Amino acid sequence: MRIAVLGAGAIGAYVGAALHRGGADVHLIARGAHLAALRQHGVRVRSPRGHFVAHAHATDDPRQVGPVDYVFLGLKAHQYAACGPLIEPLLGPDTAVIAAQNGIPWWYFHGLAGHPLEDRRIEAVDPGGAVSAVLPVRRAIGCVVYCSTEIEEPGVIRHLEGTRFSIGEPSGEISARCLAFSDAMVAGGLKCPVEPNLRDDIWIKLMGNVAFNPLSALTRATMVDMCGHPGARDLVAAMMRETVAVAAATGCHPSVSIERRIAGAARVGHHKTSTLQDLEAGKELELEAIIGAVVEIAALTGVPAPTLRNVYAAADLLARTVALAG
């Protein structure tokens, strides 16, 4: 099995290292000092589950790799539309693309036979069809990541917690291509259940991201800070209630209570969300997939979501202001 990891950052390099350890033919697409370290020393994983090194092939030129069976996409959702020149050399007739992204994916309404919004494009994550033109939905395998990693230094991945990568077809089919990829992940020491309805997993994770990520950027607060402030906690709960209502309008029912979701976030402690980390690093904020798409789906389904709309407006203004200043 040939697998390319496009965007071999903290999560991508960790997955690539595990797949390589399990016997897959892995090719890491990276750049800069991180790439140089991967080439010289391999992926050095430091984990409470045991340290290891994986000497997978690493390059900044996908043409050196050619068509593969799977592309594991480790890019941020807002980078998808521009990834055509990088991903095209990796695509053969049957190549599947496993998109490990936060929030609502561009394929969300694809394959929902009989649903009123079947095959409806979500502009927030697929503006004008720009993403689906580069990543045709027939290639898409969804992926919800329950894993925390960080790049400790170039080529060194610190695994903090979690090893589950839930995957699934947009149609809900338990496909041969999903089962084969799951087997490769398990061989590398990761959990990779194939879910018949991955959308429920998407909403469970999104319940937290939709609230904590934009609010952390607006307030510079950590997870425990937001959960411990009475007013902020109420705001988080309101955003989660609206998100659950939007999910229900699409036929999904996240199997976790709001209080349990908030309590779990509080246990994370003084952790900065990825959106806050991006803000502090001067990077583009990943807002559209995390909250913009939820606001759009609320409008499509007629669900009132005033809190989500207001927080999204404030976070979007912040993102635009930072972009202009940069």
Side-chain angles (χ1 to χ4, degrees):
M1 181 184 294
R2 301 188 79 232
I3 302 171
V5 178
L6 180 54
I11 286 290
Y14 177 65
V15 169
L19 288 166
H20 181 271
R21 181 172 63 168
D25 178 14
V26 175
H27 304 265
L28 306 174
I29 314 299
R31 61 185 181 181
H34 186 54
L35 172 60
L38 294 176
R39 283 172 165 168
Q40 185 172 0
H41 303 293
V43 184
R44 291 166 287 170
V45 175
R46 296 173 180 167
S47 170
R49 304 174 72 240
H51 305 340
F52 68 96
V53 179
H55 294 279
H57 173 237
T59 181
D60 59 357
D61 185 359
R63 293 172 299 181
Q64 294 180 359
V65 179
V68 295
D69 299 306
Y70 299 91
V71 176
F72 184 89
L73 204 56
L75 304 173
K76 293 290 183 76
H78 56 257
Q79 298 173 316
Y80 288 0
C83 78
L86 290 173
I87 200 169
E88 286 171 5
L90 305 172
L91 300 179
D94 299 314
T95 302
V97 176
I98 298 159
Q101 69 162 90
N102 285 324
I104 299 294
W106 81 101
W107 52 261
Y108 186 83
F109 288 117
H110 176 67
L112 283 178
H115 193 282
L117 295 173
E118 180 183 2
D119 294 332
R120 175 69 180 247
R121 187 174 71 240
I122 302 173
E123 288 296 324
V125 290
D126 189 13
V131 173
S132 53
V134 174
L135 305 173
V137 289
R138 68 177 179 84
R139 295 188 182 273
I141 293 176
C143 180
V144 180
V145 178
Y146 298 94
C147 174
S148 179
T149 59
E150 61 186 21
I151 298 178
E152 196 164 81
E153 60 183 88
V156 178
I157 306 300
R158 172 68 66 178
H159 171 230
L160 302 172
E161 62 177 357
T163 59
R164 180 156 68 97
F165 295 77
S166 298
I167 64 172
E169 294 281 357
S171 67
E173 174 192 3
I174 305 298
S175 65
R177 67 181 187 174
C178 278
L179 292 172
F181 184 78
S182 174
D183 287 345
M185 293 280 275
V186 171
L190 303 177
K191 298 175 183 177
C192 190
V194 181
E195 301 290 353
N197 189 356
L198 190 70
R199 290 175 182 84
D200 281 345
D201 279 60
I202 288 172
W203 287 104
I204 288 171
K205 186 170 183 183
L206 187 55
M207 281 175 66
N209 287 345
V210 76
F212 292 118
N213 285 56
L215 286 177
S216 68
L218 290 166
T219 65
R220 297 349 189 237
T222 65
M223 299 290 276
V224 72
D225 291 334
M226 288 182 280
C227 294
H229 184 280
R233 187 185 182 96
D234 289 346
L235 182 57
V236 165
M239 295 177 74
M240 288 187 177
R241 283 194 296 271
E242 292 178 4
T243 299
V244 169
V246 176
T250 72
C252 292
H253 303 279
S255 59
V256 60
S257 71
I258 289 172
E259 282 306 310
R260 183 179 171 188
R261 195 71 179 83
I262 293 175
R267 285 194 297 271
V268 173
H270 289 286
H271 169 74
K272 295 180 179 180
T273 69
S274 59
T275 305
L276 178 53
Q277 291 179 47
D278 285 345
L279 177 67
E280 292 179 342
K283 297 179 180 179
E284 183 176 350
L285 303 189
E286 192 178 21
L287 293 177
E288 296 306 319
I290 288 175
I291 186 169
V294 182
V295 170
E296 182 175 340
I297 295 173
L300 290 172
T301 55
V303 175
T307 315
L308 290 171
R309 277 202 314 274
N310 291 339
V311 172
Y312 171 56
D316 184 57
L317 177 58
L318 170 66
R320 292 168 186 262
T321 302
V322 170
L324 288 173

